[in-house]
Amino acid sequence: TDPVLDYTNHAYDYPDLLSAPPPGEEYPPLEKLGDMFERWPQDEIDNPPSPIVEQLLHFDYSNPAEMAVAVKFRDLELPFKVYNVPELDAANLKWTDSYVASGFARHNDYRPSKHKPLAHGSAEESTDNFFAFFVSKLWNPETMGPPPTLDNDWNFETWAKHARYADKVQLPFNEPHYYWQAGVPPEEREGPKDDWTFISKDLPSFSNPYPTFFGFNPPEQKGIQCRFGERGVTAATHYDTGRNMVAMITGAKRYIIAPPKECSKLGIVTTARHPAHRRDRK
């Protein structure tokens, strides 16, 4: 079952391209969070603004001149988007539910296959569409109450069926939601390609021992983190410890990004031993 709204065919208003990064703090233009949510509420996913006004520059991966500018933005750690990436377009067609399910171990008791390297993933569940990630070993239910999410025993196939169901019934934000997560460790790209999981094989620009546009500093790359979110899944405000390059294989995801100088105003926990370290307190 397809979603009610296909965001890939929605109307967008894109900014004009620049030939070089602008000086100072001119880019990207900022907006107050309250104003943003008044115009487009967080849980309103079936009736977004039309057009959606994009603030980030979009570079064509097949255009060398545009990508030369994108490299400058990347090296200055300025956000941007890239489109027409061949391996992502190929994965969009290849990554059907059945294909992806065949690449994962069926249960959490992961056992490598002698014939086909299998990736490992797990499903998290929340009482609603809000997922506040935390360090489980530091969470004390006696003093902190129930944890914000739980791991369950679903395999990918079961998760995918629920994701299709969520689209079919337009699952409300206040009902239980499920989020499939998987990862590729950085060590995988250093091994023989025959031992790579489907994730590395299909996304070599993101899992490669040699520099690419996306994996431009392999020694600092922490591997690939795959996130499969069903309709309406919302992640708590957070910051990551490394530089991320995000690839959308299929579907759509709304990102709200803030400059580092605003972190102190977002209620993000900075205490290292806190179970919600690097995330907001909700």
Side-chain angles (χ1 to χ4, degrees), residues 12-25:
Y12 292 84
D13 184 10
Y14 299 106
D16 294 332
L17 286 180
L18 302 175
S19 59
E25 299 182 355

Side-chain angles (χ1 to χ4, degrees), residues 127-279:
T127 56
D128 53 25
N129 70 334
F130 190 78
F131 283 73
F133 300 104
F134 63 100
V135 181
S136 57
K137 65 182 180 181
L138 298 179
W139 190 277
N140 185 345
E142 294 183 1
T143 59
M144 306 180 77
T149 63
L150 297 173
D151 290 328
N152 66 24
D153 61 355
W154 285 8
N155 56 35
F156 181 85
E157 184 177 16
T158 302
W159 174 86
K161 288 180 179 179
H162 190 274
R164 298 294 181 184
Y165 163 80
D167 282 337
K168 180 179 180 179
V169 302
Q170 296 179 253
L171 190 69
F173 71 89
N174 57 353
E175 292 192 17
H177 281 65
Y178 302 86
Y179 197 25
W180 180 268
Q181 301 186 70
V184 174
E187 297 80 15
E188 181 167 293
R189 65 176 178 266
E190 301 293 343
K193 289 189 176 181
D194 287 345
D195 294 338
W196 286 11
T197 61
F198 79 98
I199 300 171
S200 291
K201 289 179 179 177
D202 292 346
L203 304 174
S205 293
F206 292 84
S207 186
N208 201 302
Y210 304 104
T212 69
F213 175 79
F214 300 106
F216 49 90
N217 192 344
E220 292 187 3
Q221 187 186 10
K222 298 180 179 180
I224 298 178
Q225 300 299 316
C226 283
R227 300 290 183 260
F228 297 81
E230 65 183 11
R231 168 191 167 89
V233 163
T234 301
T237 302
H238 66 280
Y239 68 87
D240 295 321
T241 56
R243 294 180 61 185
N244 287 345
M245 300 294 270
V246 180
M248 286 298 299
I249 305 298
T250 189
K253 188 173 185 178
R254 181 187 185 187
Y255 279 87
I256 297 175
I257 55 177
K261 66 180 182 180
E262 300 296 327
C263 279
S264 62
K265 305 173 185 177
L266 297 175
I268 295 176
V269 176
T270 57
T271 305
R273 295 295 296 174
H274 192 283
H277 179 227
R278 298 189 290 107
R279 296 163 177 88

Side-chain angles (χ1 to χ4, degrees), residues 91-106 116-121 155-157 159-160 164 180 182 198-199 202 226 228 249-250:
N92 174 270
L93 299 175
K94 191 175 185 180
W95 283 28
T96 62
D97 291 351
S98 59
Y99 172 78
V100 174
S102 71
F104 282 115
R106 290 192 59 80
K116 178 180 180 180
L118 295 176
H120 179 50
N155 56 35
F156 181 85
E157 184 177 16
W159 174 86
R164 298 294 181 184
W180 180 268
F198 79 98
I199 300 171
D202 292 346
C226 283
F228 297 81
I249 305 298
T250 189

